[in-house]
């Protein structure tokens, strides 16, 4: 469809998101006032703009012009210039100052500000210093425009162009022209393909050194994101990069050498005589993790262990639970061992051990912090222990750096966590870079207790941190194997261990909590899941379909994937109604009452929880759409942990329906009931650890729907996708 073009003057700004430039504004064009929406950073009242896009219309918002490309036109008439400067877009200039400047310089005002700013000091009330501030602010606004305009023809949205300007500064266009590959190297969300497209348009040679270096780093980063690798063997790196760039392997080898000399890349000899190559950030992270873990180690003396006997006894009396010798040993090791890993499956007593450790630390007047990777995992830890647990991000005090650019942690090596002990649960979900940030903020001499189930799925991010720490045998690890009596009464617990041991689970034992419903086709499986979630489970067990029941599936696409199941479940659990506001975006719709999940970290989102407030919502947080306001274009989400966050419509892409989620997304969470379709799909998605992880998310009930043979396949399929991780070598290389 051919796009329409409009030119006009911005009359008013209805809404703007400073972070991504999304703006809703009124435009005076062709003697009419229209409402336009789009990513136009720094737009101001009075600006003349040329817009390219298309008209959209819906019942909630009426007719709007959706902007895909824009161009700022320099105001030429004195009235337009005065309106533009009066808007406050230029720092240090308000209406009265703008009038003085325009009265003196007329239609040449913007040229004077840009090219001869010292002349502004001729005006009474404007010092030379203020004149230069006005110039700098105006030039900065122009450079933002130049960056956006330069990148738009290559398909880079204004949102990402703004990020490029924030990262590269006022000379962004010149920097990009010199090396367009800096875009994919520095700006998250801009792909190598986009940078390569720009380079090709600039007639940059396919053998350009910058292109090859960027390609090498891009391959390593993509493999970390999609496959979880922290490094690649030499032959794989060279082969992947050669294929990506369409060049000879020899040319790739030459630029690997250059990156090594620039310390952008590090190489490690293998036992087989080959080489592994790793990006500098992963080398730094793995070495730092190893150094900190090894430095925290200590061996508790028998006297120290004995000193805890009374604390443990007092805790037993308080809880009414008698600890086994295995559990007591774990508590003593954790309290006096410097750094300890406690691992085990469901029902093996990890929660009892944590509670006892907390009681002992309290008796010893030790200050401690509890943390977990996700909001739901932190809430579960809080509920289990009766003490607040924070997400790791909150514990490290995530926020944007002072320059307004990249997010960072306030807690680090120079400002460590103020605690004698740090206790972290669900460590199987913690990736290499997050563990690096956490350990950087652990002060020397602080006790560190890491808990998790090493048989669950690995972290979504790169690395295999928990498994590597256990495998290296350099850090004291307590492996819990005994299933305690109360837990042993649950078929969920027993079947989880059966699955983990490669045995078929016991299905449909009467009066229990683990069931299988045989269905032969995908459509039958989907229909049964709808029936279970929309009525049968609520009637039989009293489960709330919004808060208690969670559908977990291995895949995103197909009839039994996340996208389709969410659409079907939304239709039966939260159908359209004239009493429910809704917002359509792309092929999706969100409406009041929907169950949603945050799909990416947003460190700047403000939340309120009672009298508390803070910033940050994180990948995997689940909530409900509480209210929509079409006038302010906002959506209020109430998250499970009690936080309420207001999103503008431009941020809705961060949310997804959460009636059904992937098993990976469900990791670290606990639900009263999980419903899981079991069917034949890609072997890598029918693994034992994925099945085990799904089953262990359920607190009260597991319902499997589908193919019995698929269950057998998952139980037998103990293969795991290989992850290249160097942490074991870093932990053992100096021993």
């Amino acid at each position: 469809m051919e796009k329409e073009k409009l030119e006009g003057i911005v009359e008013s700004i209805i809404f703007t998101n400073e972070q991504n430039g999304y703006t809703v504004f009124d435009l005076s064009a062709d003697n009419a006032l229209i409402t336009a929406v789009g990513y136009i950073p720094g737009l101001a009242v009075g600006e003349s703009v040329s817009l390219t896009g298309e008209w959209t219309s819906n019942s909630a918002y009426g007719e709007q012009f959706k902007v895909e490309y824009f161009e700022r036109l320099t105001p030429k008439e004195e009235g337009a210039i005065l309106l533009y400067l009066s808007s406050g877009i230029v720092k240090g200039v308000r209406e009265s100052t703008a009038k003085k400047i325009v009265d003196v310089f007329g239609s040449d005002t913007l040229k004077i500000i840009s090219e001869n700013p010292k002349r502004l000091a001729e005006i009474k009330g404007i010092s030379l210093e203020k004149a230069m501030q006005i110039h700098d602010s105006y030039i900065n606004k122009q450079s933002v425009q130049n960056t956006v305009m330069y990148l738009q023809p290559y398909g880079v949205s204004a949102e990402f162009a703004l990020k490029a300007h924030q990262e590269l500064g006022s000379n962004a266009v010149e920097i990009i022209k010199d090396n367009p590959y800096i875009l994919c190297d520095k700006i998250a969300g801009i792909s190598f393909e986009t940078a390569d497209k720009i380079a090709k348009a600039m007639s940059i040679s396919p053998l350009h050194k910058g292109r090859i270096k960027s390609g090498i780093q891009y391959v390593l980063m993509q493999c970390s994101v999609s496959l979880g690798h922290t490094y690649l063997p030499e032959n794989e790196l060279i082969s992947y990069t050669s294929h990506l760039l369409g060049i000879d392997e020899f040319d790739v080898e030459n630029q690997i050498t250059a990156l090594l000399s620039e310390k952008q890349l590090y190489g490690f000899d293998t036992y087989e005589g080959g080489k592994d190559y790793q990006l500098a950030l992963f080398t730094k992270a793995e070495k730092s993790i190893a150094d900190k873990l090894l430095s925290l180690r200590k061996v508790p003396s028998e006297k120290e262990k004995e000193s805890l006997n009374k604390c443990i006894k007092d805790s037993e009396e308080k809880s009414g639970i008698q600890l086994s010798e295995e559990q007591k040993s774990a508590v003593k090791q954790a309290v006096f061992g410097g750094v300890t890993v406690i691992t085990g499956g469901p029902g093996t007593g990890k929660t009892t051990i944590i509670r006892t450790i907390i009681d002992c630390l309290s008796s010893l007047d030790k200050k401690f912090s509890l943390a977990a990777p996700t909001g739901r995992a932190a809430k579960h830890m809080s509920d289990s222990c009766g003490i607040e647990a924070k997400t790791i991000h909150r514990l490290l005090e995530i926020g944007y750096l002072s320059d307004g650019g990249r997010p960072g942690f306030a807690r680090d090596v120079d400002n460590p966590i103020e605690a004698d002990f740090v206790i972290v649960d669900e460590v199987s979900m913690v990736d290499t870079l997050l563990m690096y940030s956490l350990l950087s903020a652990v002060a020397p001499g602080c006790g560190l207790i890491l808990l998790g189930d090493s048989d669950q799925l690995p972290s979504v991010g790169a690395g295999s941190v928990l498994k590597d720490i256990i495998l290296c045998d350099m850090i004291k690890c307590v492996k819990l194997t005994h299933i305690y009596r109360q837990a042993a009464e649950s078929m969920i617990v027993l079947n989880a261990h059966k699955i983990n041991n490669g045995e078929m689970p016991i299905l449909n034992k009467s009066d229990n909590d683990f069931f299988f419903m045989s269905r032969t086709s995908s459509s039958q499986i989907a229909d049964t899941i709808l029936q279970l979630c929309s009525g049968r489970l609520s009637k039989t067990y009293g489960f709330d379909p919004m808060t208690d029941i969670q559908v977990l599936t291995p895949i995103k696409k197909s009839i039994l994937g996340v996208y389709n199941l969410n659409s079907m479940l939304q239709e039966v659990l939260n159908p359209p109604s004239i009493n429910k506001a809704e917002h359509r975006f792309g092929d999706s719709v969100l409406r009041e009452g929907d169950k949603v999940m945050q799909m990416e970290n947003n460190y700047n989102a403000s939340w309120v929880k009672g009298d508390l407030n803070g910033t940050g919502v994180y990948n995997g947080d689940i909530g409900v759409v509480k209210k929509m306001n079409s006038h302010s274009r906002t959506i209020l989400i109430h998250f499970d942990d009690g936080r309420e966050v207001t999103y503008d419509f431009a941020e809705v892409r961060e949310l997804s329906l959460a009636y059904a989620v992937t098993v990976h997304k469900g990791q670290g969470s606990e639900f009263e009931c999980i419903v899981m379709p079991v069917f034949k799909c890609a072997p890598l998605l029918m693994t034992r650890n994925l099945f085990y992880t799904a089953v262990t998310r359920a607190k009260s009930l597991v319902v499997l729907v589908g193919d019995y043979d698929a269950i057998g396949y998952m139980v037998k399929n103990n293969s795991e996708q290989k992850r290249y991780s160097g942490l074991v070598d870093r932990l053992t290389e100096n021993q």
Side-chain angles (χ1 to χ4, degrees):
M1 183 183 298
E2 187 174 345
K3 304 298 181 183
E4 188 170 342
K5 194 169 185 177
L6 297 176
E7 286 189 9
I9 296 175
V10 178
E11 290 288 337
S12 64
I13 304 294
I14 299 170
F15 169 82
T16 188
N17 182 320
E18 296 294 340
Q19 293 298 319
N20 60 24
Y22 185 82
T23 306
V24 182
F25 59 101
D26 284 334
L27 184 80
S28 176
D30 298 329
N31 297 318
L33 193 66
I34 67 168
T35 300
V37 298
Y39 291 93
I40 309 180
L43 191 66
V45 171
E47 284 198 273
S48 298
V49 292
S50 173
L51 310 177
T52 302
E54 61 186 13
W55 291 97
T56 61
S57 180
N58 61 56
S59 56
Y61 317 124
E63 196 171 44
Q64 297 177 332
F65 190 75
K66 184 178 179 182
V67 181
E68 295 186 20
Y69 302 102
F70 75 93
E71 180 181 359
R72 282 183 169 91
L73 306 175
T74 303
K76 296 177 181 178
E77 302 296 329
E78 290 185 18
I81 294 172
L82 178 60
L83 189 62
Y84 169 68
L85 290 179
S86 298
S87 69
I89 190 72
V90 177
K91 189 175 181 181
V93 179
R94 293 295 179 182
E95 186 173 355
S96 59
T97 304
K99 190 173 187 309
K100 290 179 183 178
I101 297 173
V102 175
D103 284 346
V104 173
F105 298 111
S107 59
D108 290 331
T109 293
L110 297 181
K111 185 177 181 181
I112 293 294
I113 292 174
S114 174
E115 299 176 9
N116 196 6
K118 292 181 180 180
R119 288 200 61 195
L120 296 175
E122 297 173 9
I123 299 172
K124 186 178 179 179
I126 300 180
S127 65
L128 183 59
E129 181 182 2
K130 184 175 181 180
M132 297 312 297
Q133 288 177 347
I134 293 171
H135 165 78
D136 291 343
S137 176
Y138 179 73
I139 292 300
N140 182 62
K141 296 296 181 184
Q142 293 301 107
S143 68
V144 172
Q145 173 187 339
N146 292 340
T147 304
V148 173
M149 292 301 301
Y150 181 76
L151 292 175
Q152 274 187 154
Y154 302 108
V156 178
S157 70
E159 179 182 6
F160 285 105
L162 179 60
K163 289 182 180 180
H165 180 269
Q166 291 169 342
E167 175 68 30
L168 302 177
S170 59
N171 293 323
V173 172
E174 288 72 24
I175 293 171
I176 293 166
K177 285 180 178 178
D178 182 60
N179 177 20
Y181 297 100
I182 199 168
L183 288 168
C184 59
D185 292 344
K186 297 285 188 180
I187 316 301
I190 298 182
S191 68
F192 177 85
E193 287 78 10
T194 297
D196 211 28
K197 179 181 177 182
I198 297 172
K200 187 175 181 180
M202 294 167 57
S203 300
I204 290 178
S205 168
L207 296 177
H208 187 278
K209 292 179 181 179
R211 179 174 188 260
I212 302 174
K213 288 179 182 178
S214 183
I216 293 166
Q217 295 177 86
Y218 177 75
V219 165
L220 285 165
M221 184 56 74
Q222 283 299 106
C223 285
S224 76
V225 172
S226 59
L227 300 174
H229 300 323
T230 66
Y231 71 84
L232 280 179
E234 181 177 39
N235 63 323
E236 293 188 31
L237 175 59
I238 292 173
S239 176
Y240 292 162
T241 307
S242 172
H243 179 75
L244 172 72
L245 303 181
I247 62 176
D248 291 339
E249 293 188 354
F250 174 77
D251 296 309
V252 177
E253 292 175 21
N254 285 339
Q255 295 313 314
I256 286 177
T257 302
L259 287 170
L260 289 169
S261 66
E262 296 166 6
K263 298 192 182 303
Q264 297 295 312
L265 211 63
Y266 285 82
F268 298 93
D269 294 326
T270 67
Y271 296 114
E272 296 80 18
K275 276 276 191 183
D276 295 329
Y277 292 109
Q278 187 172 51
L279 290 171
L281 81 160
F282 285 115
T283 299
K284 179 181 179 182
E286 290 184 343
K287 284 190 172 183
S288 297
I289 291 170
D291 290 345
K292 178 56 74 74
L293 289 173
L294 294 174
S295 72
L296 291 174
R297 291 181 305 175
K298 65 178 183 178
V299 179
S301 67
E302 290 304 315
K303 184 177 180 180
E304 286 176 321
K305 291 180 180 179
E306 289 300 317
S307 70
L308 277 183
N309 286 340
K310 185 178 186 306
C311 292
I312 292 173
K313 185 176 180 181
D314 291 343
S315 179
E316 287 177 323
E317 291 177 356
K318 173 184 172 183
S319 65
I321 297 174
Q322 183 74 34
L323 271 67
S324 68
E325 289 304 314
E326 178 186 57
Q327 290 176 311
K328 290 178 183 178
S329 177
V331 171
K332 293 174 181 178
Q333 170 62 36
V335 173
F336 288 118
V339 55
T340 303
V341 173
I342 300 174
T343 183
T348 56
K350 290 196 301 294
T351 300
T352 299
I353 290 172
I354 298 177
R355 290 173 181 158
T356 307
I357 289 171
I358 289 172
D359 287 342
C360 291
L361 294 178
S362 298
S363 298
L364 296 169
D365 292 323
K366 298 295 184 181
K367 186 177 180 180
F368 52 88
S369 295
L370 307 184
T374 67
R376 289 185 71 92
K379 183 177 186 299
H380 176 60
M381 194 180 189
S382 299
D383 293 343
S384 299
C385 301
I387 295 174
E388 183 192 16
K390 298 179 179 179
T391 63
I392 296 174
H393 287 83
R394 277 190 63 207
L395 179 65
L396 298 178
E397 299 176 16
I398 185 71
Y400 282 91
L401 301 179
S402 58
D403 62 2
R406 296 175 181 273
F409 295 113
R411 295 292 178 179
D412 56 19
V413 66
D414 297 317
N415 182 30
I417 300 164
E418 296 175 2
D420 300 310
F421 282 80
V422 174
I423 305 172
V424 187
D425 198 9
E426 296 286 359
V427 179
S428 64
M429 299 179 66
V430 179
D431 62 47
T432 299
L433 297 181
L434 184 56
M435 181 59 79
Y436 162 65
S437 295
L438 174 63
L439 294 186
S440 295
V442 173
C446 179
L448 179 66
I449 303 167
L450 305 174
L451 302 108
D453 186 344
S454 60
D455 292 316
Q456 289 188 21
L457 289 168
S459 58
V460 174
S464 302
V465 175
L466 180 61
K467 286 186 178 181
D468 287 351
I469 293 174
I470 295 170
L471 183 62
C472 79
D473 206 27
M474 302 298 297
I475 305 299
K476 181 63 178 178
C477 178
V478 178
K479 297 180 181 180
L480 305 173
T481 57
H482 180 71
I483 304 174
Y484 291 88
R485 183 183 60 80
Q486 187 174 0
E489 296 173 358
S490 165
M491 291 305 299
I492 297 174
V493 173
L494 286 178
N495 280 337
H497 286 275
K498 279 182 169 292
I499 292 165
N500 204 31
N501 292 329
E503 303 171 24
M504 281 293 289
I506 299 171
L507 305 172
N508 299 336
K509 185 177 179 181
S510 60
D511 298 325
N512 226 295
D513 53 11
F514 201 106
F515 296 98
F516 168 68
M517 302 177 70
S518 178
R519 299 292 185 271
T520 57
S521 70
S522 294
S523 58
Q524 288 177 342
I525 295 172
D527 288 343
T528 301
I529 289 173
L530 292 184
Q531 294 166 17
L532 288 167
C533 295
S534 62
R536 291 178 63 176
L537 291 173
S538 297
K539 290 177 182 177
T540 306
Y541 298 96
F543 291 144
D544 184 326
M546 289 292 188
T547 59
D548 297 332
I549 303 170
Q550 184 61 58
V551 177
L552 297 178
T553 180
I555 60 177
K556 294 181 180 180
K557 298 180 180 180
S558 89
I559 294 177
L560 299 175
V562 166
Y563 302 136
N564 185 62
L565 287 176
N566 267 322
S567 179
M568 296 174 70
L569 287 163
Q570 180 190 43
E571 203 63 23
V572 297
L573 295 177
N574 191 34
S577 165
I578 58 172
N579 298 317
K580 298 176 188 175
E582 61 181 43
H583 172 61
R584 293 186 178 275
F585 57 104
D587 296 328
S588 302
V589 60
L590 282 185
R591 64 176 61 100
E592 289 176 341
D594 271 335
K595 182 178 181 180
V596 294
M597 175 179 280
Q598 177 76 16
M599 300 303 288
E600 59 186 70
N601 292 334
N602 183 334
Y603 305 108
N604 211 36
S606 299
W607 54 261
V608 175
K609 182 180 179 180
D611 296 331
L612 301 175
N613 60 74
T615 58
V617 288
Y618 307 109
N619 193 343
D621 289 350
I622 293 178
V624 173
V625 179
K626 190 173 181 180
K627 189 176 182 181
M628 285 190 186
N629 187 318
S630 59
H631 179 70
S632 63
R633 300 177 64 84
T634 56
I635 301 175
L636 179 65
I637 307 296
H638 181 89
F639 285 100
D640 287 354
D641 60 3
R643 291 172 301 150
E644 291 194 341
V645 179
T646 299
Y647 293 73
D648 63 63
F649 283 179
E651 296 171 310
V652 75
R653 59 178 175 76
E654 297 180 7
L655 298 169
S656 174
L657 293 175
Y659 301 103
V661 301
T662 63
V663 178
H664 269 99
K665 286 291 187 182
Q667 191 175 358
S669 300
E670 185 179 63
F671 309 96
E672 286 295 330
C673 170
I674 71 110
V675 178
M676 182 180 182
V678 287
F679 56 97
K680 293 175 182 176
C681 58
L684 285 176
L685 295 174
M686 295 184 69
T687 61
R688 183 187 299 174
N689 66 344
L690 183 140
F691 190 28
Y692 171 77
T693 300
V695 166
T696 55
R697 299 309 91 210
K699 182 178 179 181
S700 303
L701 182 67
V702 170
V703 184
L704 307 176
V705 183
D707 183 354
Y708 181 84
D709 290 338
I711 296 176
Y713 184 92
M714 287 188 287
V715 169
K716 293 176 183 177
N717 183 14
N718 197 30
S719 62
E720 294 184 40
Q721 189 169 351
K722 171 68 177 174
R723 282 198 172 196
Y724 296 124
S725 168
L727 184 56
V728 172
D729 289 338
R730 304 293 83 79
L731 281 161
T732 57
E733 62 189 359
N734 294 322
Q735 302 302 312

